[in-house]
Amino acid sequence: MNVFVSVDMEGVSGLVRWADVASSGIDFERNRVLMTEDANAAVQGAFAAGAHSVVVEENHGVEDLCVLRMDLIDPRCEVIRGAGRGGSTTMAGLTGEIDIVMLIGHHARAGSKPGIMAHTVSGAFKTVRVNGMLAGEPMLFALRAGELGVPVGLVTGDQVVAEETRELVADIDAVVVKHAYANFAARCIPPQRATPMIRAAAEQTVQRARGGGYRALTDAARPYEIEVELWQAAGEGLRANLEAMAEFELEGETTVRTVAPDMDIGFRRIAYLGYGDRAGLTKY
Ligand SMILES: [Zn+2]
């Protein structure tokens, strides 16, 4: 079994606010360790279930996507990190060779209330929709994995990301490490107790995947109709860039539409809308 683990930070046990997951935050260095420990729990569980390889990919956007503590990560896995990976923004390790995907430390989608640090890809997006459905990052991963025939088996984070991911992937397992009361308040299971829960669930997930217990999301309608609603009117730079690219359509001041053949390109286009304000930047 080849296992792909996407690790984000907002859904890591114990973390509830932006100051917990930003490099300027007071507890960031400590919280990098907590993120690494949640990732390690998944890696350990996967290997305990006999995984052949585990690729861990960083999905948290601060500090050029280099947040995991490489000195503390389980040495049996490999880690994909850094910006500019090519291909899907943070899914470079998700290929057809993978047998099962696990989403560790993930978070609720943009617009969710409650939902710890709910957003989709960028804080500049009010909502992201794919084929008319509100989309979070787990949906983008599940759709891309489905294109490759790969199922998603486990998500960890708060109860909201667990529920939202289940809407699309009914048979997914979830570890709820905190119960969100709002976007920045939760009742948390302390990491010392949460990480063994993640480890046990990851082990079960890989065992279940070996027995063919998960179904890949292969029946989503394609091409995808993607709609991103921005919080603020598109700035001059972004507007000019979008006009130069036929694949994007700006509707009104805040809504951008694009039709993407797959979620490799779709994810890149969504991410681009978060950083495409720089004059002349028309690559993504
Ligand atoms: Zn993140």
Side-chain angles (χ1 to χ4, degrees), residues 51-228:
H52 170 71
S53 79
V54 179
V55 175
V56 173
E57 182 152 359
E58 298 210 23
N59 190 53
H60 189 58
V62 305
E63 298 305 311
D64 298 323
L65 298 142
C66 292
V67 186
L68 287 169
R69 282 279 302 264
M70 291 302 285
D71 53 335
L72 300 177
I73 196 86
D74 190 306
R76 294 171 293 177
C77 72
E78 292 185 354
V79 177
I80 299 176
R81 59 198 329 232
R85 295 167 201 177
S88 294
T89 313
T90 55
M91 300 191 281
L94 178 50
T95 67
E97 307 290 294
I98 297 293
D99 297 298
I100 188 72
V101 172
M102 300 197 273
L103 306 174
I104 303 298
H106 271 250
H107 51 81
R109 66 190 171 218
S112 293
K113 284 186 194 309
I116 292 300
M117 292 179 267
H119 69 285
T120 301
V121 183
S122 165
F125 305 159
K126 189 174 179 187
T127 57
V128 175
R129 287 175 196 271
V130 176
N131 294 345
M133 288 181 294
L134 285 168
E137 291 164 37
M139 182 195 280
L140 307 183
F141 276 84
L143 290 172
R144 178 59 184 158
E147 292 163 15
L148 301 166
V150 180
V152 181
L154 178 66
V155 62
T156 77
D158 65 15
Q159 85 281 15
V160 182
V161 73
E163 285 159 16
E164 289 176 358
T165 310
R166 256 192 221 114
E167 286 170 13
L168 193 70
V169 187
D171 60 353
I172 195 166
D173 292 312
V175 178
V176 174
V177 299
K178 51 197 167 191
H179 184 93
Y181 290 145
N183 287 136
F184 303 102
R187 178 174 173 140
C188 300
I189 296 175
Q192 278 196 22
R193 186 149 58 87
T195 46
M197 291 163 57
I198 296 171
R199 187 190 183 286
E203 185 173 349
Q204 256 177 27
T205 293
V206 172
Q207 277 165 358
R208 184 176 159 195
R210 181 181 290 113
Y214 298 101
R215 202 179 62 82
L217 197 66
T218 52
D219 49 4
R222 282 200 275 160
Y224 302 114
E225 290 179 21
I226 297 171
E227 183 187 292
V228 176

